[in-house]
């Protein structure tokens, strides 16, 4: 895996950590501090990878942990439709066009969503390929 280098950077880093921490080979195992400097990760990462290897095995130590909490979308289909309609409407008085921040604020004012960031608005508009203004 290391020689070929055709894996995710995190997977390769975890593999390097485990190779340097290996006590079964002829060379002595490295200390956590030396491993973290060599692989350019934090000492806590070295400790977590070693612990996960011992508790869950090689494959678990190489792959990232699954997300602990689901990421529910802030903007559902109905709110998305309202956002697209709003983005295609006339901008507020005194502004030349809708900005992402103005759209986010208006979505909250109109109670289409409880809260939303301008970045979420950008992602929704990009996903729906809706031009602003």
């Amino acid at each position: 895996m290391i020689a070929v280098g055709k894996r995710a950077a995190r997977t390769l880093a975890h593999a390097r950590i485990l190779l340097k921490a290996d006590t079964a080979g002829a060379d002595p195992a490295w200390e956590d501090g030396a491993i973290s400097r060599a692989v350019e990760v934090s000492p806590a990462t070295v400790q977590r990878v070693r612990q996960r290897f011992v508790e869950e095995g090689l494959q678990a130590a190489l792959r990232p942990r699954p997300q602990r909490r689901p990421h529910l979308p802030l903007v559902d289909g109905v709110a998305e439709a309202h956002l697209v309609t709003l983005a295609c409407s006339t901008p507020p008085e005194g502004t030349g066009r809708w900005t992402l921040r103005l759209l986010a604020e208006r979505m909250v004012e109109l109670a289409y969503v409880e809260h939303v960031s301008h970045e979420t608005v950008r992602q929704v508009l990009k996903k729906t390929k809706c031009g602003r203004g």
Side-chain angles (χ1 to χ4, degrees):
M1 178 186 315
I2 297 293
V4 175
K6 295 278 186 180
R7 298 286 172 101
R10 182 186 304 176
T11 302
L12 293 173
H14 288 199
R16 285 186 185 96
I17 290 168
L18 293 172
L19 285 172
K20 294 195 181 309
D22 185 15
T23 58
D27 298 330
W30 291 30
E31 293 183 10
D32 286 1
I35 294 172
S36 71
R37 286 187 298 278
V39 182
E40 297 181 349
V41 295
S42 72
T45 299
V46 174
Q47 192 274 330
R48 279 193 306 270
V49 170
R50 290 176 103 168
Q51 182 175 356
R52 193 156 181 217
F53 174 73
V54 169
E55 293 175 357
E56 301 176 39
L58 176 63
Q59 292 305 315
L62 292 177
R63 70 176 182 266
R65 281 199 182 277
Q67 292 291 325
R68 292 184 183 180
R69 63 181 177 93
H71 293 280
L72 301 175
L74 293 174
V75 179
D76 62 3
V78 174
E80 190 175 291
H82 286 297
L83 175 59
V84 171
T85 303
L86 189 61
C88 295
S89 70
T90 306
E93 191 71 32
T95 61
R97 63 182 178 88
W98 283 105
T99 65
L100 296 175
R101 292 178 197 276
L102 280 173
L103 287 168
E105 290 170 7
R106 187 60 58 92
M107 290 289 290
V108 173
E109 286 173 12
L110 296 174
Y112 295 142
V113 291
E114 191 174 315
H115 59 86
V116 67
S117 72
H118 66 280
E119 175 60 15
T120 301
V121 169
R122 184 194 67 78
Q123 290 174 359
V124 169
L125 292 176
K126 180 179 178 182
K127 181 182 88 173
T128 59
K129 296 179 177 34
C130 176
R132 291 178 317 171

